Every structure is written in structure tokens, then in C-alpha cells.
Amino acid sequence: MRIVTTATLLLLIQALVFAEDQDSPWVVRVLPGQEGWHWAQAHRINNRGQILGMYGAPRYEDHRAIVWEGDTWYDIGVRCGQPEGWAVTGASSITDNGLVAGYVADQWGVGPYLVVVWDLDSRTWEAAQPVVEGFQRAFLTDMNESGQAVGYLFVSEEWRSRAYRWDHQGRTTHLLPLPHGIEESLAGRINEDGWIVGSVGNFDYE
């Protein structure tokens, strides 16, 4: 397995869709929202046209994971369930099978996080916590159609990150290897052949 270093970032304050039109090379469509939203972002789309994103209150900390389908949207945690008492939800990836990789938290940046996978078709959820001794917090960043997910976790109180792969079928966790002399890694994307792209390095937090 090879890890390739790469990085990119896109943040939209208002959720938009860019699509080709018969009369124009591109059209821009604003996705529907709701009064009271202070921001929304759309960051992934599958081949079924389901668009994954988030919306939030004035603070970024108060956000919820949502899916747009056509001219409607729904809160993933409300439709598919989530642990009781956890107010914040986020999601990073959606497959053509309707699996969504994400997390729930009681408060963004504070307290515990629970890594979860939602199934939009069966309207269910399950915990996808990595089985790694001593990990403090984890996030999934991507999932392929085979149910292999990648992300990163923090394995010590120094908040050093390690890239890992989690398999939906066997519910198993694999820490990805580090090059010699490197202490930290992040996994960003995984394709259908199991190739993973991410980044590695040694970071000074002083």
C-alpha cells in the first residue's frame, strides 16, 4: 500500500451546485435551506445525485450533517438516528450505496467524539470507532464502495495524529505504516482499488 502526499481545501459559505445546461456551459443552483441557518456547505456528491454537506448556527461549533436530494434536504442524524444526547453531527463522505462516514459529538472541539457510519437506504447508523489502544479522538475522511474507510486518529495526549483504515465489513482497524523518522500522518481519500492518499510529517506544536 502506498501513501502519496497531497492537500486541498474548499469551503463554501452558501451551498451551491454547478451543473451543465443545454443553453449554457454551466449553471449555478443554490441548494434549498431553512430560515435560521447562518451558513451551509456542500462538499461531496455521489452518482445517485445525493449531495452531502452541513449547516450551522452563528458559531461553526453548532453544525449538523445533511443530505440534499433534488429540491429537498434532511438532517442525517434525525432520519437515520444517532446516539442520544449528542447535539453536533458532521459527515465527510458518501458512497453510491448510500453509506455516509461521519461523527457525532456533544460539543465541537470539547469532550468525546464518536465515529459513525450512517446508511441512508436502511435509515440506520452504527458506531465505527477504531480499535486502537490509547486513541483519544478519531475522524473518517473518506469511504469507498467496498466499505473501506480512511481517516486519522490521535493516539496520545500529545495529539499526534496517525492515519488509519477501517473496514465496514469486518469492523477492523489498521494503522497505516509510517516512513522511517516520521511521527504523524493523515489519510484523506481511498479509491476502489484501496489506494490511499494522505500526508505525513513531523509537526512542532510549541
Side-chain angles (χ1 to χ4, degrees):
M1 188 174 293
R2 186 177 302 171
I3 301 176
V4 185
T5 302
T6 184
T8 187
L9 176 66
L10 174 64
L11 178 64
L12 302 178
I13 301 304
Q14 190 173 29
L16 305 172
V17 170
F18 299 86
E20 289 188 89
D21 185 82
Q22 259 187 337
D23 303 320
S24 170
W26 295 97
V27 295
V28 180
R29 181 166 63 90
V30 178
L31 295 172
Q34 180 172 291
E35 189 176 345
W37 289 12
H38 287 259
W39 59 267
Q41 63 183 41
H43 48 256
R44 300 295 288 274
I45 184 170
N46 64 15
N47 289 319
R48 291 159 58 172
Q50 294 170 310
I51 300 168
L52 182 66
M54 296 193 298
Y55 77 89
R59 302 181 310 157
Y60 180 80
E61 291 87 343
D62 301 323
H63 59 261
R64 300 283 301 178
I66 57 176
V67 167
W68 284 275
E69 292 186 8
D71 293 326
T72 63
W73 65 272
Y74 56 84
D75 184 303
I76 302 174
V78 172
R79 172 172 287 200
C80 300
Q82 65 179 74
E84 239 179 281
W86 300 65
V88 174
T89 61
S92 56
S93 177
I94 183 169
T95 70
D96 293 339
N97 297 324
L99 295 179
V100 174
Y103 61 86
V104 295
D106 56 354
Q107 189 178 350
W108 177 254
V110 179
Y113 285 65
L114 180 64
V115 182
V116 298
V117 172
W118 286 284
D119 188 325
L120 301 182
D121 292 342
S122 64
R123 300 193 180 188
T124 58
W125 69 275
E126 67 170 309
Q129 291 290 80
V131 184
V132 175
E133 187 177 349
F135 89 92
Q136 305 291 318
R137 189 174 291 174
F139 296 94
L140 291 177
T141 55
D142 195 24
M143 177 179 277
N144 65 19
E145 298 300 324
S146 301
Q148 296 174 317
V150 293
Y152 57 95
L153 53 83
F154 299 99
V155 293
S156 73
E157 300 211 355
E158 298 175 351
W159 298 108
R160 300 287 178 183
S161 63
R162 284 292 304 273
Y164 76 101
R165 191 189 79 208
W166 182 84
D167 290 332
H168 180 64
Q169 300 299 330
R171 276 66 174 174
T172 54
T173 306
H174 309 273
L175 283 178
L176 300 181
L178 290 171
H180 179 71
I182 299 297
E183 296 180 350
E184 296 193 65
S185 58
L186 301 170
R189 295 287 182 264
I190 181 170
N191 71 7
E192 297 309 311
D193 294 326
W195 285 73
I196 298 168
V197 294
S199 58
V200 298
N202 296 324
F203 304 101
D204 185 2
Y205 296 98
E206 296 292 328

